[in-house]
Amino acid sequence: MATAVEWAPDHGTRAYDEMYDGAAVRPEYDALRSSLDTLDGADLRSRIDTLATSYLDQGVTFDIGGEERAFPIDILPRIIGADDWARIDAGVQQRVRALEAFLADAYGVGRVFADGVLPRSAVVSSGAFHREAAGIVPVNGVRCHVAGTDLIRDEDGRFLVLEDNVRVPSGVSYVMTNRRAIGSVLPEVMSAHRIRPVAGYPQALLAALRAAAPAGVADPTVVVLTPGVYNSAYFEHALLARTMGVELVEGRDLECRRGRVLMRSTRGLEPVHVIYRRVDDEFLDPVQFRADSMLGCPGLVNAARAGNVTLANAIGNGIADDKLIYTYVPDLIRYYLGEEPALPNVETWRLGDDAAREEVLDRLDELVLKPVDGSGGKGIVIGPAASRSELDRLRAEICAHPRAWIAQPVVSLSTVPTYADGAMRPRHVDLRPFAVNDGDRVWVLPGGLTRVALPEGELIVNSSRGGGSKDTWVLAGRTTRPVPASAPAAVVPAPEQASPQVAGPALRDLTGRQAQQEQQQQTGPGPC
């Protein structure tokens, strides 16, 4: 029987090929390759077609410029071995703990500035710095309830941190829906692997949110605050609210009275204790931020300051997403934790430094230039691919606003075979693992969002640049607790199930036993 599809690895590229070591298939992918080769071509193409149309039919979409599009998913999963995942898990936990300490310090006593680890000017000059956040102390000390850490793999196969997302990270909904979609089209392939589950994420998130409730609230009310149906990530907001069993609200559904937040319902006004907000800081509270915002609710910040409601993630977290602050994170890890970084940064030049700026300006056509507040791939200039006029404009911009830019070498992202033009061809990928912090531990979802640059040779994986996604399989090692046979295949609870919102402390106990996109307003680009 003819093999299902042509495999077309590119052995001449500099990029690290995650499936092939030279001409040999790496051990993690051996069973996958063997399983796919047993399918005939017509069967595989039929499954690919089913996968391509299923997301649009199910409403798994994002919005670009007002146009609703299905989020592309490739049929070939990305596989990460247990040892590699152990390093990622430890590195992401470490990074979240260091950023938590930094945010508390930056909006608190400022030891990090006094000790010379980080200049105060680097923080207060960030567009994401909000003095309104000073003095707001979270009940359980958690500001980063959810974090998304973008990782890449360099030419030597090392995982490097590309950026941090602790403001309003998005994309986890695609981790869950990708798993369900691939399980439906490749059930026999999935059953041949011991894959760690991702379906428990909503329960872990809900437990963390409930743990952040104001003092004295035994059975807190949690809501998900969305900008509305026109937001690019609205599908994710709705999915998370549904799978956590909590209300999905807009700003107009909330009201603040005497420092407390209330929710309008058919039963009248009800108290709200924790708000998982998917609205950017600037739009959250028109009293404190943009007065013209219709997306938030007046008084939310004062209610949080009074300790009567918890905002997750905390306001002001965006300074940790600033790419200039990113360059200091290895030093912050050493300063706050007394440890060496488990996951190194990509080499980065700070253009506010005269010597670094001079070197970068001499090498603009060799480097990648990024705005420090950019997201979704916006504003990135890849020097070798830029025109002379683009480089000239960039040079003038850097000279006028050096703090607004960083520079990095061109890193050839690792590749995973992806179905394109009738064959499995190498395409560049990154990885966004998601971490949930409940105040006692940082739990990293075993999988994460693998984004893939679908155009040949493209290094920017964001959906706004034509990127798609892959299901990410983390293989269970010998020391990993086995997945229960009763683990749910889907993440959407049945209607008759009791709502986790009212399940009380028992849910937290149960979850404890289970192991950003940047949010764009209204007509912004895709979710990640």
Side-chain angles (χ1 to χ4, degrees):
M1 179 174 58
T3 58
V5 69
E6 175 189 356
W7 296 84
D10 183 359
H11 300 305
T13 183
R14 290 172 45 223
Y16 181 85
D17 192 317
E18 298 196 13
M19 183 169 182
Y20 291 97
D21 183 5
V25 177
R26 298 186 189 275
E28 295 87 353
Y29 282 89
D30 189 56
L32 175 65
R33 170 68 190 263
S34 299
S35 297
L36 291 180
D37 281 345
T38 63
L39 305 176
D40 64 73
D43 186 10
L44 182 60
R45 282 189 291 273
S46 174
R47 299 185 193 208
I48 291 172
D49 292 341
T50 299
L51 190 61
T53 59
S54 63
Y55 266 20
L56 190 58
D57 294 341
Q58 298 174 41
V60 184
T61 61
F62 65 96
D63 181 275
I64 292 185
E67 180 184 351
E68 198 78 9
R69 302 183 185 180
F71 194 50
I73 175 175
D74 183 62
I75 195 168
L76 189 78
R78 180 192 201 173
I79 300 179
I80 299 177
D83 292 341
D84 282 337
W85 183 254
R87 285 188 287 272
I88 292 172
D89 188 298
V92 171
Q93 288 189 47
Q94 179 191 64
R95 205 162 178 104
V96 171
R97 289 188 287 118
L99 291 177
E100 284 280 11
F102 163 66
L103 288 166
D105 196 12
Y107 286 109
V109 297
R111 279 192 308 117
V112 69
F113 308 131
D115 291 343
V117 179
L118 173 71
R120 186 183 296 271
S121 61
V123 170
V124 299
S125 63
S126 171
F129 175 73
H130 294 303
R131 286 179 171 83
E132 296 83 355
I136 300 179
V137 180
V139 173
N140 62 346
V142 176
R143 286 174 166 82
C144 307
H145 304 82
V146 180
T149 306
D150 288 354
L151 307 179
I152 61 172
R153 210 165 186 178
D154 69 6
E155 293 89 342
D156 298 322
R158 296 184 306 155
F159 283 100
L160 308 175
V161 178
L162 190 63
E163 64 181 56
D164 299 289
N165 299 277
V166 295
R167 182 168 30 190
V168 192
S170 72
V172 74
S173 60
Y174 303 111
V175 177
M176 297 185 290
T177 53
N178 284 357
R179 178 61 52 84
R180 185 169 53 186
I182 294 300
S184 67
V185 297
L186 292 177
E188 72 278 33
V189 178
M190 183 174 285
S191 65
H193 296 77
R194 295 182 67 237
I195 306 167
R196 297 183 62 182
V198 298
Y201 178 86
Q203 287 70 40
L205 175 58
L206 179 60
L209 295 175
R210 290 174 61 87
V217 180
D219 191 12
T221 297
V222 179
V223 300
V224 176
L225 175 61
T226 176
V229 296
Y230 295 106
N231 183 263
S232 59
Y234 180 75
F235 165 78
E236 175 160 307
H237 308 164
L239 178 68
L240 289 176
R242 186 169 70 250
T243 54
M244 287 193 292
V246 305
E247 296 289 344
L248 178 67
V249 301
E250 298 182 26
R252 60 188 176 182
D253 300 318
L254 301 178
E255 179 179 325
C256 292
R257 291 186 182 181
R258 299 178 181 177
R260 298 183 183 277
V261 181
L262 304 172
M263 172 179 59
R264 295 183 177 91
S265 75
T266 56
R267 297 177 296 277
L269 294 175
E270 299 183 6
V272 172
H273 305 106
V274 181
I275 300 175
Y276 179 44
R277 52 98 177 197
R278 300 300 296 262
V279 175
D280 278 345
D281 291 354
E282 293 79 4
F283 299 88
L284 191 60
D285 185 342
V287 174
Q288 303 288 341
F289 303 113
R290 287 186 51 160
D292 62 343
S293 173
M294 303 294 289
L295 303 177
C297 174
L300 282 183
V301 173
N302 286 338
R305 189 181 305 280
N308 295 325
V309 72
T310 298
L311 299 176
N313 284 355
I315 61 172
N317 278 15
I319 58 173
D321 292 2
D322 188 300
K323 293 180 179 61
L324 176 61
I325 304 302
Y326 155 89
T327 67
Y328 290 95
V329 174
D331 294 329
L332 298 178
I333 292 172
R334 299 182 185 100
Y335 177 69
Y336 289 114
L337 307 181
E339 303 169 359
E340 284 300 309
L343 293 172
N345 279 12
V346 175
E347 180 186 5
T348 306
W349 287 267
R350 303 166 186 156
L351 301 191
D353 179 81
D354 292 341
R357 184 169 65 254
E358 182 178 353
E359 178 184 355
V360 168
L361 290 174
D362 287 340
R363 300 176 56 196
L364 278 183
D365 59 346
E366 303 173 15
L367 302 173
V368 176
L369 281 297
K370 299 179 178 180
V372 296
D373 58 353
S375 61
K378 294 184 298 183
I380 294 177
V381 179
I382 300 178
S387 66
R388 177 53 55 188
S389 62
E390 288 176 321
L391 293 178
D392 289 342
R393 287 195 298 271
L394 178 61
R395 185 184 306 275
E397 184 68 24
I398 290 173
C399 292
H401 306 286
R403 197 270 183 227
W405 294 87
I406 60 165
Q408 295 175 332
V410 178
V411 179
S412 188
L413 280 61
S414 62
T415 64
V416 176
T418 302
Y419 187 78
D421 301 325
M424 294 294 183
R425 306 180 188 278
R427 293 293 185 266
H428 296 289
V429 296
D430 78 349
L431 177 66
R432 177 177 290 182
F434 292 89
V436 175
N437 186 1
D438 66 6
D440 294 325
R441 65 187 288 258
V442 178
W443 174 73
V444 183
L445 176 68
L449 177 64
T450 288
R451 299 179 296 184
V452 54
L454 297 176
E456 184 177 4
E458 178 64 70
L459 292 175
I460 300 178
V461 299
N462 303 84
S463 56
S464 55
R465 299 285 289 265
S469 68
K470 287 176 171 287
D471 190 15
T472 307
W473 293 0
V474 173
L475 300 183
R478 286 188 293 272
T479 58
T480 303
R481 285 177 293 179
V483 180
S486 59
V491 298
V492 180
E496 67 272 15
Q497 286 180 298
S499 169
Q501 175 70 44
V502 296
L507 175 67
R508 191 179 306 174
D509 296 338
L510 172 63
T511 309
R513 295 194 296 271
Q514 297 175 341
Q516 147 268 318
Q517 165 200 20
E518 52 290 333
Q519 189 261 3
Q520 300 293 330
Q521 298 299 326
Q522 300 287 355
T523 58
C528 47

